[in-house]
């Protein structure tokens, strides 16, 4: 399923475009690190390729250098982000590029972090020709979650809601009801695959008993699963719910400091300062290294996210049924008490049809 416009195809340089495709292979496993891809080119021909596959593993440049072996000497390295210049869990990529004898480096975008940044200067000082791509935007889109976390301290938040044609999220308040059918599940699975963590409210976990896993069209679970997060509140699921017992993905509970939560001993409970509300909860997820977070809210959590302006991208999946006026609305409150909510607007940025459902992606309004 393709839910988002293909910004990578706007990149003119075929080697930088290839580096973006390689970087994408790490999606879902590199957090807290960014996605990075690298291509080594000699005499106009690709002689080595690599991408960063998981945090703690070799960086893209090092993978591409070892793929190219001796052909790296005198080659041009095309990399989606400025090579790092610091000792983190692995040695600096700038040192590896200098030692391998590459003649030129072209990077998609600058590294904004203080620790790892400065690679361009180091390479130039070593006599390597260095330049940035003319338009950094596609490279920023690749890493929008990581960029958001390192610049604001909280993850990029994508919110997904599944509704009927008349905008209802459940047939009755508090009931489990799929508004979007099997094709809606395919879209949800794709959004989860692109995320480091999937968050639900305690009451949704209690009444829906969801698995929150990435599954294929036949229902088989993927090998790599995002972390499942239950936002503890008034209602909480039973200790026997699937999230706490099926062991199919890492699972944790996010609870305000000082509150009681009744969860099995094996489930981690992460605390956030309750007075900071949802923003505090998201900051704690940022501190834990989650770059991209998908939230699948019910009405109450959706209203909080909307009112606190915490939605960076909203994906509405609309199924073809009508649920009627007794069903649960996406936004639960009375018209005249929510003037601020009604004045906030998002703008549609992408739309597609997946099987029998319609998918609209909304971004922050530019006006
Ligand atoms: N169609 C869909 O896409 C979809 C998706 C999910 C759920 N649903 C449906 O929605 C219904 C459940 O909705 P719901 O409104 O009961 O629950 P919900 O919105 O999923 O979850 C509410 C939870 O979020 C917490 N929360 C909300 N605002 C918060 C804030 N500012 N700070 C900290 N915690 C906050 C609440 O804690 P407190 O209780 O302490 O306030 C509560 O635990 C079910 O029928 C479910 O099937 C539909």
């Amino acid at each position: 399923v393709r839910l988002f416009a293909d910004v990578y195809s706007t990149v003119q340089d075929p080697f930088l475009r290839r580096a973006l495709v390689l970087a994408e292979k790490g999606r879902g496993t590199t957090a807290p690190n960014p996605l990075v891809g690298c291509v080594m080119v000699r005499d106009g021909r690709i002689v080595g390729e690599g991408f960063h596959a998981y945090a703690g593993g070799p960086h893209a440049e090092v993978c591409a250098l070892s793929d190219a072996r001796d052909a790296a000497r005198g080659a041009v390295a095309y990399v989606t982000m400025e090579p790092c210049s610091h000792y983190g869990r692995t040695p600096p990529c700038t040192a590896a590029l200098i030692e391998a004898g590459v003649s030129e480096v072209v990077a998609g975008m600058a590294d904004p972090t203080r620790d790892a940044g400065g690679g361009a200067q180091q390479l130039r000082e070593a006599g390597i020709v260095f330049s940035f791509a003319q338009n950094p935007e596609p490279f920023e889109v690749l890493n929008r979650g990581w960029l958001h976390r390192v610049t604001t301290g909280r993850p990029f938040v994508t919110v997904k809601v599944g509704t009927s044609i008349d905008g209802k999220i459940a047939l009755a308040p508090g009931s489990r009801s799929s508004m979007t059918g099997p094709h809606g599940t395919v879209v949800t699975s794709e959004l989860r695959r692109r995320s480091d963590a999937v968050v639900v409210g305690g009451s949704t976990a209690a009444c829906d008993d969801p698995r929150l896993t990435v599954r294929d069209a036949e229902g088989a679970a993927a090998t790599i699963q995002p972390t499942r997060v239950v936002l503890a509140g008034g209602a909480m699921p039973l200790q026997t719910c699937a999230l706490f017992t099926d062991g199919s993905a890492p699972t944790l509970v996010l609870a305000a400091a000082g509150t009681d939560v009744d969860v099995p001993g094996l489930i981690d409970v992460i605390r956030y300062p309750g007075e900071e509300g949802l923003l505090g909860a998201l900051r704690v997820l940022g501190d834990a290294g989650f770059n991209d977070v998908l939230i699948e809210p019910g009405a109450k959590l959706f209203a909080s996210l909307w009112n606190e302006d915490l939605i960076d991208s909203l994906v509405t999946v609309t199924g073809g049924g009508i649920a009627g006026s007794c069903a649960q609305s996406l936004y639960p409150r009375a018209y005249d008490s929510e003037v601020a909510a009604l004045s906030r607007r998002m703008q549609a940025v992408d739309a597609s049809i997946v099987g029998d459902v319609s998918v609209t992606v909304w971004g922050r309004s530019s006006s």
Side-chain angles (χ1 to χ4, degrees), residues 59-100:
H59 287 189
E61 297 89 324
V62 172
C63 296
L65 285 173
S66 68
D67 190 34
R69 297 182 188 197
D70 293 346
R73 193 154 293 279
V76 183
Y78 291 84
V79 56
T80 51
M81 187 157 67
E82 181 181 5
C84 72
S85 61
H86 79 315
Y87 278 90
R89 274 185 269 199
T90 62
C93 291
T94 46
L97 290 163
I98 294 164
E99 197 183 320

Side-chain angles (χ1 to χ4, degrees), residues 115-183:
D115 286 348
Q121 194 185 335
Q122 268 191 18
L123 293 168
R124 284 189 184 122
E125 280 166 9
I128 294 175
V129 179
F130 183 93
S131 60
F132 283 114
Q134 276 180 344
N135 177 15
E137 199 195 337
F139 305 92
E140 290 165 358
V141 169
L142 169 78
N143 273 311
R144 69 181 181 179
W146 177 80
L147 279 170
H148 201 280
R149 187 178 64 75
V150 298
T151 53
T152 69
R154 72 159 175 86
F156 186 90
V157 172
T158 299
V159 168
K160 180 237 112 181
V161 286
T163 73
S164 56
I165 286 178
D166 53 342
K168 308 293 180 174
I169 61 164
L171 288 176
S175 75
R176 176 184 174 134
S177 22
S178 171
M179 311 310 283
T180 56
H183 290 113

Side-chain angles (χ1 to χ4, degrees), residues 4-364:
F4 306 98
D6 178 12
V7 286
Y8 302 162
S9 61
T10 63
V11 176
Q12 300 289 318
D13 187 301
F15 301 125
L16 279 175
R17 216 163 48 229
R18 175 67 189 152
L20 279 166
V21 171
L22 289 166
E24 267 294 338
K25 292 179 188 250
R27 190 166 297 280
T29 52
T30 62
N33 290 354
L35 297 157
V36 187
C38 181
V39 173
M40 296 288 161
V41 176
R42 225 166 97 167
D43 303 325
R45 216 169 47 83
I46 293 178
V47 292
E49 292 189 337
F51 66 97
H52 185 43
Y54 59 95
H59 287 189
E61 297 89 324
V62 172
C63 296
L65 285 173
S66 68
D67 190 34
R69 297 182 188 197
D70 293 346
R73 193 154 293 279
V76 183
Y78 291 84
V79 56
T80 51
M81 187 157 67
E82 181 181 5
C84 72
S85 61
H86 79 315
Y87 278 90
R89 274 185 269 199
T90 62
C93 291
T94 46
L97 290 163
I98 294 164
E99 197 183 320
V102 303
S103 61
E104 185 177 346
V105 174
V106 183
M109 59 173 276
D111 184 335
T113 60
R114 207 183 43 202
D115 286 348
Q121 194 185 335
Q122 268 191 18
L123 293 168
R124 284 189 184 122
E125 280 166 9
I128 294 175
V129 179
F130 183 93
S131 60
F132 283 114
Q134 276 180 344
N135 177 15
E137 199 195 337
F139 305 92
E140 290 165 358
V141 169
L142 169 78
N143 273 311
R144 69 181 181 179
W146 177 80
L147 279 170
H148 201 280
R149 187 178 64 75
V150 298
T151 53
T152 69
R154 72 159 175 86
F156 186 90
V157 172
T158 299
V159 168
K160 180 237 112 181
V161 286
T163 73
S164 56
I165 286 178
D166 53 342
K168 308 293 180 174
I169 61 164
L171 288 176
S175 75
R176 176 184 174 134
S177 22
S178 171
M179 311 310 283
T180 56
H183 290 113
T185 307
V186 169
V187 174
T188 304
S189 231
E190 171 60 11
L191 292 169
R192 289 176 185 166
R193 187 190 67 77
R194 302 173 64 86
S195 307
D196 305 314
V198 180
V199 181
V200 285
S203 61
T204 290
C207 66
D208 290 5
D209 195 12
R211 281 175 289 169
L212 302 183
T213 48
V214 179
R215 302 187 287 273
D216 67 16
E218 279 74 48
T223 334
I224 296 162
Q225 295 287 346
T227 298
R228 307 180 293 192
V229 180
V230 178
L231 184 64
M236 276 297 279
L238 297 174
Q239 290 216 4
T240 51
C241 73
L243 288 175
F244 293 158
T245 56
D246 71 4
S248 52
T251 306
L252 56 88
V253 168
L254 196 52
T259 55
D260 281 340
V261 279
D262 182 25
V263 297
L266 286 174
I267 301 292
D268 283 337
V269 179
I270 301 190
R271 300 291 180 170
Y272 68 92
E275 67 281 5
E276 289 181 20
L278 282 179
L279 178 59
L282 289 172
R283 284 208 181 109
V284 166
L285 290 180
D287 292 344
F290 296 109
N291 294 330
D292 284 281
V293 164
L294 175 69
I295 306 185
E296 300 183 22
K300 199 170 168 186
L301 185 52
F302 178 82
S304 295
L305 290 161
W306 182 269
N307 291 333
E308 292 178 41
D309 195 17
L310 292 171
I311 306 177
D312 300 309
S313 173
L314 171 65
V315 181
T316 53
V317 185
T318 311
I322 293 282
S325 62
C326 295
Q328 173 72 62
S329 296
L330 171 60
Y331 196 90
R333 300 181 204 165
Y335 175 83
D336 55 2
S337 64
E338 293 295 341
V339 176
L342 290 165
S343 63
R344 187 185 314 288
R345 296 185 71 80
M346 297 193 81
Q347 68 180 36
V349 290
D350 266 310
S352 52
I353 290 169
V354 178
D356 61 2
V357 301
S358 138
V359 183
T360 307
V361 181
W362 304 83
R364 287 184 176 281

